[in-house]
Amino acid sequence: MSAPVEVVLSADSAGQLFNCAVYDPHTGSEFLSYRGGNTSSRSLTILNGEYILGAQLGKNYINVWEIQRKDQLQQKIVCPGIVTCLCASPDGLYVLAGIAEAIYLWEVSTGNLLAILSRHFQDLSCIKFTDDSSHFVSGGKDNLAFIWNLSSVVQLDSSRTPEPRHILSRHSLPITDIHCGLMGPQARVATASLDQTVKVWEISSGEMLLSVLFDVGIMSVTFDPCEYFLFCGGSDGNIFQVSLCSTSLSRDKTFQSDSEGNQVFKGHRNLVTCLSVSMDGTVLLSGSNDETVRMWDVQSKQCIWTINHRGPVTNAAIIPAPANMFLSDSHPAVPLPRFSRHLNPSEQGDGTGTGGMSLRLGANTQEPEGTYLEKAEELYSLMCAVTDKSVFGDGENTKVRVSELEEEVRTLKKINKDLYEFSTQLLTKPN
Amino acid sequence: MSKKRKRQDDFQKTKLKVGKKKPKADNATNVNFRSKSIHLPEQLKHGESGPTTHRHLDIKDLLSQLHHFNSNVKQGALVGLRELLSANPTMVELHASVVLSEVAALFTDKDGSVRAAAVRLLRFVAQCIPSERVAPFFPLLSAHLTCAMTHISEAIQEEALRVLDVLLEHYPGLLSQRHTVLLGNFLELISQRRKSGTGQDKSGKGSYALTVTTNRSVTAQQWRLTVLLRLSNFLQAVVEERPLEEGVSSRIGLGMWAVEKGLVTPVDVTWEEHVNGQGKIQLFENSGAGPTSHSAYRLRPDSKSGAGMDKELCSAETVQGFAATLVPLLLEIWVEAAGGGRVQTDSGHLLSAESMALMFQILSILQLLRRMTPQRDQQDVLDAWFRNSYLTDFKQHFMKNFPYGLLEVARHKKKADGKRIKQPVAAGVVAGSTVEPLAVNVTLCQVMVTLSLRGQDHVAAEDADWLGPIRVFIRETLSNGSKLSSKHLAALLEVVWRMIVTQRSRVVTDELLQAVYVQYQQRNLSVNVRSLLLRFFSQLYIQEHQNHPHIARSRILARWLASLPVQLVQLGSRNPQLSAQLLETVQPAAARGNKDLLQSLQKNACSLYDPQEGCVVVLPVESQKRLVQILHFLPEFPAELLACLSEVCNTGRVSASLATTLIRTVHLRSPLSGCSSASQDVPLKDVDYLSFFFTTLTGFSSDMLRALQDKDEDDLLAASTLSPLSVYTTSLDQFLHHWDVVEVVCHCLDTLGSRAQCFDVIQNAIINNLAGLVVVPDCVCVALLRCVPRLLDVNFLPSDTLLHFLSDCCLSMLSLLLQLEQSARKRDAVWEACFAALSSVPRLLRLVLQSFRVLDLCEDELPVLAQILSLLLQHTQLRNHMMANASFLQHIIQDLTHYYGGESREQWLIDLLYCYSVTLSTHRANMGIRDIY
């Protein structure tokens, strides 16, 4: 079976059959599931395509699964409090957890707790990284959202408290969801709130670009990848679609009349807790407290299929399928270390005392060197290209090039002969 | 004979004799008149080169006369130019370059009358030409101004200050661009460069020394006051023309707590507008293809943004270089101004009005020097430099006799001749107005407080000796009960803010906040002062709460926060703007979980949300919305508060959308809704929650329903067999409002976890509270008919008492439906509710049909019955239910037919029989088709 490009990952709060499960986005059939416990809202995340992290509902630890195994690891990440939101950076280097009013930042390669950010006044409700992992946005129940620069947070200077880059303070009720667009620091952020508004901000300047006022409180929000549409899940079960560009720009204008139902996805009976759009922007996934996950067609507003869960859906997302998910014999490249629960004072002391610079690289980010056969292939293709060129090119330079290549071929043949003799000798030797 | 004479008379010819004149014609004109000329001296004649003055001089002549050796001719030329330009305003811009050049050259003329006329002409020209038109000629003007300011003659220097006044008034921007040259000129006016020999001896002093001249017409003190006043105005122009960098807000005066507005204007969209297609959202002008052009994104942090800038007077070093020269001179002037009090030690703090004005200018200049740098880190560097360089001098001179008072003028009144009397009056006029002692003291506090450093506790002991008098002064000024103006209060609050932020001491914080709180608690404050104090406390809490623990733990601040809900209750609807400001503080503090505020809110919640005269019903819509949102942060909801909220929802004094928002908020706070995380404390008990929803569903409280039973008959529909209940008809607005509320209540109850138990509770509530009533409002009936089908579970069977009551409600509503002519929406609502009940609730239709007893009806009620039956039969979805009860239906039809068997058929009976036969035939056809299959 060939691996699908995208999969649906969802979790509910009942946790009777499984903790979270993976479904086919086209048919809604179940591929595989992960067992043990249940996951709270906005707390299910993929770490570097190799692990699944899910914060246990009502407890102070994070469940960990290797992505190719159904049973979770014995190693749990024990946290200082109940985790209300969890996010891993897209490059797989950092993990952010919202615990009560503080944001905890861990380094994945060493498990060190790098920073504890206590700027929110109430519990955090959601936290998101940008797609290049340079910034992250945190929203809480105190109506505030902060945009943090990751490089200023992980610096080793302990004398200065990290400050958020921007403070978004235009909401008047708790923030329920945050969605970061693409383009890294130039991205746009959408925040949903119980004050019945969805606001669009700019990460670079902290300015508010758009504010849409609805009739009900908005529980979830997402962009499509082109950022043409804004999908807002309301507390009454409706999903609202806001067009962020003029419809006259679209070439294929549908002949459907602009009725009132054209902009609303109707079907859920309770508040919509999670929304996700596929990469091509044609289907929309929604999870709700009415214990269903639905897939919608964006163009026609029809529900394609429905998955019935045993409890309110806490996480539902369309993700690109990790490569290790369907290979049962694969293993993570780096084992997950033990995550510390306190700030490391010795490292900060060393950093402050010596004045040195700590340089961190991602694990296994260096490209592996090409093999010998690949080099031979490259040389052979280059030789063929030059041979083809010699038919049409000038004779003098071509001759020099051909002689060089012939010398190279002789060297390769000699090496090949030596390898052959060595192999023959090794095989014929009696053990 | 007669014939011949007649012909001769006709052709008679006049004979002209030689030598005699020709006689005059009858129409000849007499040309012997004499004309006289009238001379108008003031009338201007236009020569070939343009208009002229009354002395027949055009502009070329006047400009050439400006170079005349005779001063009278030059003065006359200037007066003539002013006359000519005032008569022809269009010529001002035509000849601006040559006029400005010639006038500027006369700033340094020998004769005083010529210079005065030049200044008057410059003032007139400055009023006509805007700033951008003068910009090309301003280098020449400023060059001549520099020559005049640095002239060796004192009279020319005095005239130069008047030229400076004109330019400061009309062209402050152009003048501030020349600050590097002109600031040096101010130094030359009051001092001269020290000789190199004496420079070695006094290395501590600056490179300039104060000049003492004895040949001026005014005293040295008055002259310095005149110069410093203009220096202050000039620095003010330089500071105001400087564009502020992003993130650095000016915190001076009333703008201290102004709301910072962003660069981008956000797009505000309402969902209804977007759905109806009224406004297209044009968020990205090129659909996001290009990045935002006005993005302020910088890769470097904000603290290094000023590293690459080397503009003049932008960096701290440049300001330090200028201040290093100016501040010693200011200190010397201060010593001389305060020197009069040195003779009498006991009254050293008393100053004359002139010394008071001089000191005020010195302090203003020191303030403006600090604000030269627009960036915050440069300001901090400058403050640190001021502290290191001049803190000792400032303590020695400024704080020795602090606070200062006004000396009585009668004590030092001296004899003076007529010439000296005029000059002090002129100096007073130049000073603008008499400076109050309070202004001097407040400005001195502002200057000194900027020298205290942030967050360094080891220097607190050093600063105690001079911060103590400032603190005492502020406390006494704020606590003595006198009415302060907005300007002085803003300055004092700025000093308090700075001291609280820099002094990390809890005792100091509480002391200062206590003084401000005393001012806040005064009665009869003006709205401006009240708003100013309110914004001070609000910004102190919101901005500095996280960074400074001693502010967060301040008891005065906690007491002030706790008093805000009490003020809201007392204020009511008297001042909506002040209430809006209070709410703007209450809501963020509630969102941050401030304990004192939440306790006070909890205590005053029933008063705030009182349905009769609480803030939630008397304030404007925006404040009402904020109050509803504050409900989200209340710690708990007691039963009496829920009763108030239920009544707020039911009366029409808040809008339907706001009532629905309130209901959803209560729903979210309940643990039954299931969307809140597991928390230990439960803000809303289940019993109170269901009681709130039931009361909101019915729309009437128990007392109101009990009072309705004794109501007289004029508002009621009479009870009859077809209408078992007496229906109290509510108004259309009340009905529609309640219909929206019922929709939301049904949705909230529908989403609860266990529907069977929920329905059981609602059923018991209906049976206990409503089933025994005789008079029922129509909105209550519709609400019950709407609610019961949605909550009914498949496995649950309602009780007989509830079914009977619902049957009565349904019959009454069907009777009411036939009489309704008010609104189509009300008819649709009533019919929708009845239809939902009849089609969803089992056995309800059977009970309704069973209550149709034809023999008990009088003749007037039979058409109503027939119409009801026709209405039920015409509905497609109800036909199956009607056919399921075919025996009852047939029985009713037979009774009706027998009753009217002998007489001629009525129209309503014919219609009913037609509907019945159509239904029967359709039903039988379906049965036949099923049998075939």
Side-chain angles (χ1 to χ4, degrees):
Chain A
M1 179 185 67
S2 64
V5 177
E6 283 179 313
V7 290
V8 170
L9 182 68
S10 67
D12 57 53
S13 63
Q16 293 182 7
L17 301 179
F18 43 76
N19 189 314
C20 56
V22 177
Y23 300 92
D24 187 1
H26 304 289
T27 60
S29 60
E30 182 177 322
F31 282 146
L32 57 105
S33 59
Y34 300 90
R35 285 193 278 267
N38 47 7
T39 307
S40 57
S41 291
R42 289 169 188 82
S43 301
L44 194 66
T45 186
I46 304 288
L47 175 62
N48 210 10
E50 296 171 347
Y51 295 95
I52 294 180
L53 308 178
Q56 177 67 33
L57 181 63
K59 298 292 175 56
N60 66 331
Y61 60 88
I62 298 173
N63 297 314
V64 182
W65 295 269
E66 290 183 0
I67 206 164
Q68 77 280 0
R69 296 177 54 196
K70 296 188 175 183
D71 296 319
Q72 57 174 286
L73 296 176
Q74 293 303 313
Q75 172 189 355
K76 290 183 172 60
I77 302 175
V78 185
C79 301
I82 295 177
V83 180
T84 54
C85 49
L86 184 69
C87 188
S89 62
D91 54 6
L93 299 180
Y94 301 99
V95 168
L96 283 166
I99 298 170
E101 295 114 16
I103 301 169
Y104 285 71
L105 176 68
W106 284 283
E107 192 181 24
V108 172
S109 57
T110 58
N112 288 332
L113 181 59
L114 297 182
I116 302 176
L117 310 170
S118 300
R119 286 283 284 157
H120 280 279
F121 295 93
Q122 299 261 30
D123 292 358
L124 269 91
S125 52
C126 41
I127 196 163
K128 278 289 172 63
F129 267 102
T130 52
D131 58 327
D132 65 341
S133 307
S134 64
H135 291 74
F136 60 94
V137 189
S138 62
K141 294 188 193 299
D142 53 350
N143 316 346
L144 299 174
F146 295 126
I147 299 178
W148 304 84
N149 194 345
L150 189 62
S151 61
S152 67
V153 166
V154 301
Q155 62 185 357
L156 295 176
D157 190 4
S158 61
S159 64
R160 200 161 66 106
T161 308
E163 287 288 326
R165 188 183 184 96
H166 297 294
I167 301 176
L168 317 175
S169 61
R170 304 283 287 267
H171 279 293
S172 53
L173 276 182
I175 292 173
T176 52
D177 199 12
I178 286 176
H179 183 81
C180 278
L182 303 177
M183 291 197 298
Q186 300 281 342
R188 282 170 277 266
V189 181
T191 54
S193 175
L194 286 177
D195 62 356
Q196 304 173 342
T197 59
V198 168
K199 296 182 192 295
V200 178
W201 316 79
E202 196 177 40
I203 283 188
S204 52
S205 60
E207 301 283 345
M208 185 172 85
L209 304 175
L210 175 68
S211 173
V212 188
L213 178 67
F214 296 93
D215 294 333
V216 293
I218 305 298
M219 310 304 292
S220 52
V221 70
T222 191
F223 280 123
D224 66 323
C226 297
E227 296 187 3
Y228 284 163
F229 298 112
L230 188 63
F231 298 99
C232 317
S235 63
D236 58 347
N238 290 329
I239 301 167
F240 306 98
Q241 176 183 343
V242 182
S243 295
L244 298 181
C245 57
S246 181
T247 53
S248 61
L249 293 180
S250 62
R251 295 179 180 180
D252 52 343
K253 188 178 179 64
T254 58
F255 293 95
Q256 185 178 0
S257 64
D258 284 336
S259 61
E260 186 148 345
N262 194 21
Q263 309 285 335
V264 184
F265 298 80
K266 291 182 179 294
H268 280 297
R269 293 192 300 108
N270 209 334
L271 52 96
V272 179
T273 53
C274 19
L275 285 172
S276 186
V277 184
S278 61
M279 277 185 182
D280 53 358
T282 55
V283 288
L284 170 73
L285 185 82
S286 63
S288 173
N289 260 18
D290 64 353
E291 306 176 359
T292 58
V293 171
R294 292 171 183 260
M295 183 71 90
W296 310 82
D297 181 63
V298 170
Q299 187 70 36
S300 62
K301 312 289 185 297
Q302 296 296 312
C303 180
I304 300 174
W305 47 257
T306 305
I307 296 171
N308 287 305
H309 277 263
R310 293 293 195 273
V313 178
T314 54
N315 292 273
I318 301 177
I319 57 170
N324 291 356
M325 183 175 270
F326 301 100
L327 303 176
S328 57
D329 54 350
S330 65
H331 288 286
V334 177
L336 203 66
R338 179 171 299 276
F339 282 52
S340 64
R341 302 177 63 179
H342 305 286
L343 286 172
N344 201 341
S346 63
E347 184 177 4
Q348 292 194 359
D350 290 343
T352 308
T354 60
M357 183 171 65
S358 178
L359 187 65
R360 288 189 175 88
L361 289 177
N364 289 342
T365 55
Q366 192 177 6
E367 290 294 329
E369 195 172 0
T371 60
Y372 184 80
L373 286 177
E374 290 176 358
K375 282 185 178 179
E377 274 193 1
E378 288 176 10
L379 287 173
Y380 180 74
S381 61
L382 187 62
M383 186 174 63
C384 290
V386 174
T387 306
D388 293 336
K389 187 180 176 183
S390 67
V391 179
F392 309 100
D394 51 328
E396 193 61 33
N397 293 332
T398 309
K399 285 181 181 178
V400 173
R401 190 61 187 167
V402 166
S403 62
E404 289 178 0
L405 287 176
E406 285 176 353
E407 186 175 353
E408 189 69 27
V409 166
R410 280 194 292 271
T411 307
L412 287 174
K413 283 183 177 179
K414 183 176 182 301
I415 294 172
N416 197 21
K417 183 180 177 184
D418 292 342
L419 282 174
Y420 176 75
E421 288 176 356
F422 176 75
S423 302
T424 307
Q425 184 179 355
L426 191 66
L427 287 175
T428 55
K429 181 189 290 183
N431 287 325
Chain B
M1 176 66 76
S2 64
K3 191 173 185 180
K4 183 181 180 180
R5 180 172 293 275
K6 181 181 289 183
R7 186 172 66 246
Q8 192 172 2
D9 285 338
D10 286 340
F11 293 97
Q12 183 68 34
K13 185 177 182 181
T14 307
K15 292 186 178 180
L16 299 176
K17 294 182 178 179
V18 178
K20 288 194 176 181
K21 288 185 177 179
K22 185 178 179 180
K24 292 186 188 313
D26 294 334
N27 57 353
T29 303
N30 188 9
V31 296
N32 291 327
F33 64 89
R34 185 187 299 274
S35 66
K36 296 180 180 179
S37 63
I38 302 173
H39 288 280
L40 299 176
E42 300 302 326
Q43 189 176 13
L44 300 178
K45 295 178 181 179
H46 285 255
E48 65 279 359
S49 64
T52 57
T53 62
H54 69 285
R55 295 167 65 187
H56 309 287
L57 297 173
D58 59 351
I59 193 165
K60 291 184 178 178
D61 299 331
L62 291 169
L63 290 174
S64 62
Q65 283 180 11
L66 292 179
H67 300 278
H68 205 270
F69 60 91
N70 193 355
S71 57
N72 291 325
V73 174
K74 286 190 277 190
Q75 182 186 0
L78 289 168
V79 173
L81 266 175
R82 186 154 168 261
E83 172 197 343
L84 184 67
L85 295 177
S86 61
N88 303 274
T90 57
M91 293 181 67
V92 180
E93 295 198 2
L94 284 176
H95 302 274
S97 64
V98 61
V99 169
L100 287 174
S101 313
E102 300 294 339
V103 168
L106 294 179
F107 291 161
T108 54
D109 198 81
K110 298 188 297 297
D111 197 82
S113 58
V114 174
R115 294 195 302 269
V119 171
R120 281 197 294 270
L121 179 59
L122 180 68
R123 187 181 300 272
F124 172 76
V125 169
Q127 293 170 4
C128 300
I129 312 182
S131 180
E132 58 266 15
R133 306 292 181 89
V134 179
F137 318 117
F138 206 81
L140 186 63
L141 268 176
S142 77
H144 282 292
L145 178 63
T146 303
C147 292
M149 291 177 75
T150 57
H151 206 272
I152 197 170
S153 172
E154 291 87 8
I156 294 179
Q157 288 182 4
E158 293 173 16
E159 293 293 336
L161 293 185
R162 295 200 181 89
V163 173
L164 190 66
D165 286 343
V166 174
L167 297 180
L168 271 175
E169 181 183 350
H170 296 282
Y171 310 124
L174 296 174
L175 200 59
S176 62
Q177 295 173 13
R178 303 279 161 179
H179 51 250
T180 54
V181 181
L182 290 171
L183 285 176
N185 299 339
F186 280 107
L187 293 178
E188 296 283 344
L189 284 172
I190 57 175
S191 64
Q192 60 188 359
R193 194 173 294 271
R194 290 180 185 273
K195 294 185 174 62
S196 58
T198 58
Q200 296 172 2
D201 299 335
K202 308 175 183 178
S203 59
K205 301 247 180 176
S207 58
Y208 283 79
L210 281 180
T211 55
V212 180
T213 57
T214 55
N215 56 350
R216 289 184 187 270
S217 57
V218 296
T219 62
Q221 198 169 359
Q222 291 167 353
W223 170 244
R224 289 166 191 156
L225 177 59
T226 305
V227 174
L228 290 182
L229 186 65
R230 286 163 175 91
L231 178 59
S232 176
N233 292 336
F234 178 71
L235 290 177
Q236 184 77 34
V238 171
V239 168
E240 286 176 356
E241 292 296 326
R242 179 75 47 80
L244 286 181
E245 296 241 340
E246 187 186 358
V248 176
S249 60
S250 176
R251 294 188 162 197
I252 299 298
L254 287 173
M256 180 176 182
W257 302 290
V259 179
E260 292 189 10
K261 295 189 175 180
L263 300 174
V264 181
T265 304
V267 181
D268 277 319
V269 174
T270 312
W271 176 247
E272 285 86 11
E273 296 171 4
H274 179 61
V275 160
N276 297 328
Q278 293 178 6
K280 297 295 181 182
I281 301 178
Q282 195 68 35
L283 186 61
F284 315 120
E285 54 273 6
N286 42 10
S287 300
T292 312
S293 58
H294 44 256
S295 174
Y297 180 64
R298 287 191 301 265
L299 283 174
R300 289 179 296 171
D302 292 332
S303 60
K304 299 179 180 177
S305 60
M309 295 186 180
D310 285 328
K311 294 181 182 178
E312 294 175 349
L313 282 190
C314 283
S315 61
E317 291 82 15
T318 313
V319 179
Q320 285 170 21
F322 176 69
T325 308
L326 183 63
V327 172
L329 296 177
L330 295 178
L331 288 173
E332 290 185 33
I333 295 172
W334 183 282
V335 169
E336 289 192 18
R342 191 176 298 176
V343 179
Q344 327 173 23
T345 312
D346 53 344
S347 61
H349 63 284
L350 297 178
L351 304 170
S352 62
E354 190 178 279
S355 302
M356 186 80 63
L358 194 56
M359 287 176 169
F360 183 71
Q361 292 306 317
I362 291 172
L363 295 170
S364 301
I365 288 167
L366 286 174
Q367 267 195 316
L368 289 164
L369 279 177
R370 182 185 166 272
R371 292 170 54 197
M372 278 289 187
T373 51
Q375 289 126 24
R376 185 179 291 114
D377 57 328
Q378 297 286 326
Q379 279 186 4
D380 293 340
V381 171
L382 198 59
D383 290 342
W385 177 80
F386 266 111
R387 179 190 174 87
N388 293 329
S389 304
Y390 296 113
L391 181 59
T392 308
D393 292 327
F394 284 4
K395 285 197 295 184
Q396 180 183 348
H397 301 306
F398 291 167
M399 301 303 298
K400 187 174 62 177
N401 295 316
F402 178 78
Y404 296 95
L406 189 61
L407 189 62
E408 295 298 328
V409 187
R411 290 191 188 181
H412 293 269
K413 199 165 188 179
K414 301 176 183 177
K415 278 187 176 180
D417 51 350
K419 179 179 289 184
R420 289 190 175 271
I421 287 178
K422 286 186 179 180
Q423 293 303 327
V425 172
V429 170
V430 166
S433 65
T434 306
V435 179
E436 308 172 23
L438 185 60
V440 172
N441 292 324
V442 168
T443 314
L444 184 58
C445 293
Q446 285 179 313
V447 169
M448 295 304 294
V449 159
T450 55
L451 299 184
S452 58
L453 294 180
R454 292 175 179 266
Q456 301 194 9
D457 297 325
H458 66 276
V459 298
E462 303 176 16
D463 295 345
D465 52 347
W466 59 271
L467 281 177
I470 292 181
R471 202 183 310 137
V472 170
F473 168 74
I474 291 173
R475 192 187 334 121
E476 288 177 359
T477 307
L478 288 172
S479 305
N480 60 4
S482 63
K483 295 293 183 293
L484 297 170
S485 66
S486 296
K487 188 178 176 183
H488 292 152
L489 185 62
L492 280 172
L493 291 180
E494 188 205 342
V495 176
V496 171
W497 182 285
R498 180 97 188 189
M499 292 185 78
I500 286 172
V501 167
T502 55
Q503 299 282 301
R504 295 181 171 268
S505 168
R506 186 164 177 175
V507 179
V508 172
T509 302
D510 280 350
E511 187 180 319
L512 290 169
L513 286 181
Q514 177 69 44
V516 182
Y517 197 52
V518 166
Q519 183 75 213
Y520 182 78
Q521 282 178 321
Q522 282 187 20
R523 298 177 182 272
N524 301 323
L525 289 174
S526 66
V527 179
N528 290 332
V529 172
R530 177 74 69 182
S531 302
L532 196 59
L533 288 161
L534 192 55
R535 278 201 299 265
F536 170 78
F537 277 112
S538 174
Q539 294 293 320
L540 190 71
Y541 175 72
I542 291 175
Q543 290 187 5
E544 307 289 346
H545 186 272
Q546 185 75 20
N547 298 322
H548 302 278
H550 64 281
I551 297 180
R553 286 190 234 103
S554 170
R555 282 180 278 103
I556 306 296
L557 205 58
R559 200 187 307 167
W560 173 75
L561 280 171
S563 69
L564 289 181
V566 182
Q567 292 171 42
L568 264 177
V569 172
Q570 294 172 359
L571 200 57
S573 62
R574 281 194 291 271
N575 198 329
Q577 295 176 5
L578 205 58
S579 299
Q581 279 195 28
L582 286 168
L583 282 169
E584 281 180 11
T585 312
V586 168
Q587 188 169 11
R592 298 171 179 203
N594 190 271
K595 290 192 187 65
D596 306 281
L597 180 80
L598 290 180
Q599 286 174 11
S600 182
L601 270 178
Q602 191 72 55
K603 192 181 305 179
N604 296 277
C606 289
S607 305
L608 282 170
Y609 297 98
D610 188 63
Q612 302 303 321
E613 53 197 22
C615 294
V616 76
V617 293
V618 298
L619 287 181
V621 180
E622 282 298 318
S623 301
Q624 283 180 348
K625 192 174 180 181
R626 285 188 182 268
L627 276 164
V628 169
Q629 287 172 348
I630 284 169
L631 280 176
H632 195 91
F633 305 107
L634 273 185
E636 59 180 16
F637 287 83
E640 54 268 13
L641 174 61
L642 286 172
C644 292
L645 292 177
S646 179
E647 199 163 348
V648 165
C649 291
N650 293 329
T651 58
R653 302 183 70 175
V654 298
S655 62
S657 60
L658 207 56
T660 55
T661 306
L662 199 154
I663 293 167
R664 284 201 191 94
T665 304
V666 175
H667 178 63
L668 284 178
R669 296 299 309 274
S670 171
L672 285 174
S673 62
C675 58
S676 61
S677 59
S679 57
Q680 288 76 26
D681 51 342
V682 176
L684 190 57
K685 297 186 182 65
D686 298 348
V687 179
D688 295 332
Y689 171 81
L690 289 170
S691 174
F692 167 76
F693 272 93
F694 181 73
T695 311
T696 312
L697 182 72
T698 54
F700 285 82
S701 62
S702 303
D703 300 334
M704 296 171 70
L705 286 177
R706 201 174 300 118
L708 273 182
Q709 311 306 307
D710 305 325
K711 206 171 177 62
D712 50 354
E713 293 288 328
D714 53 353
D715 282 335
L716 304 179
L717 299 178
S720 61
T721 310
L722 285 183
S723 178
L725 302 172
S726 297
V727 176
Y728 170 74
T729 308
T730 55
S731 63
L732 181 64
D733 292 336
Q734 186 177 355
F735 185 88
L736 295 178
H737 178 93
H738 189 252
W739 177 252
D740 293 330
V741 169
V742 164
E743 286 288 329
V744 179
V745 170
C746 291
H747 182 264
C748 292
L749 290 173
D750 196 11
T751 56
L752 293 184
S754 52
R755 303 178 68 184
Q757 284 87 6
C758 177
F759 183 79
D760 195 17
V761 171
I762 297 293
Q763 175 178 260
N764 288 326
I766 292 172
I767 290 170
N768 293 329
N769 293 291
L770 299 178
L773 298 180
V774 178
V775 179
V776 181
D778 53 353
C779 53
V780 177
C781 294
V782 172
L784 294 180
L785 293 171
R786 178 67 176 167
C787 178
V788 170
R790 291 187 63 167
L791 296 181
L792 195 57
D793 206 8
V794 183
N795 304 319
F796 196 88
L797 287 182
S799 66
D800 288 342
T801 311
L802 179 66
L803 282 178
H804 279 288
F805 185 67
L806 282 183
S807 172
D808 292 345
C809 289
C810 193
L811 262 178
S812 304
M813 287 298 106
L814 285 172
S815 303
L816 181 73
L817 185 64
L818 300 176
Q819 306 176 36
L820 274 179
E821 296 163 357
Q822 312 175 24
S823 164
R825 193 182 165 195
K826 187 170 181 180
R827 286 176 57 93
D828 291 341
V830 171
W831 171 243
E832 183 184 345
C834 293
F835 159 70
L838 288 173
S839 60
S840 303
V841 181
R843 295 167 50 206
L844 181 61
L845 187 57
R846 176 189 297 261
L847 284 177
V848 169
L849 291 177
Q850 279 179 354
S851 63
F852 289 155
R853 285 184 288 272
V854 180
L855 302 180
D856 298 335
L857 301 177
C858 57
E859 291 197 10
D860 295 336
E861 292 168 342
L862 288 177
V864 177
L865 173 62
Q867 289 181 38
I868 290 173
L869 287 174
S870 303
L871 197 61
L872 295 177
L873 285 170
Q874 284 169 9
H875 206 280
T876 308
Q877 302 184 23
L878 275 180
R879 275 178 188 167
N880 294 327
H881 297 271
M882 296 291 275
M883 286 301 109
N885 300 280
S887 58
F888 294 103
L889 189 61
Q890 187 176 4
H891 184 68
I892 292 169
I893 299 294
Q894 286 176 0
D895 287 345
L896 281 173
T897 310
H898 286 318
Y899 194 88
Y900 280 90
E903 304 174 14
S904 61
R905 296 278 177 88
E906 297 285 343
Q907 183 62 40
W908 50 267
L909 190 55
I910 295 173
D911 293 338
L912 176 60
L913 289 176
Y914 172 74
C915 293
Y916 180 65
S917 57
V918 167
T919 306
L920 278 181
S921 60
T922 308
H923 188 67
R924 283 169 183 170
N926 293 334
M927 297 289 289
I929 292 173
R930 192 173 303 112
D931 289 342
I932 289 174
Y933 287 136

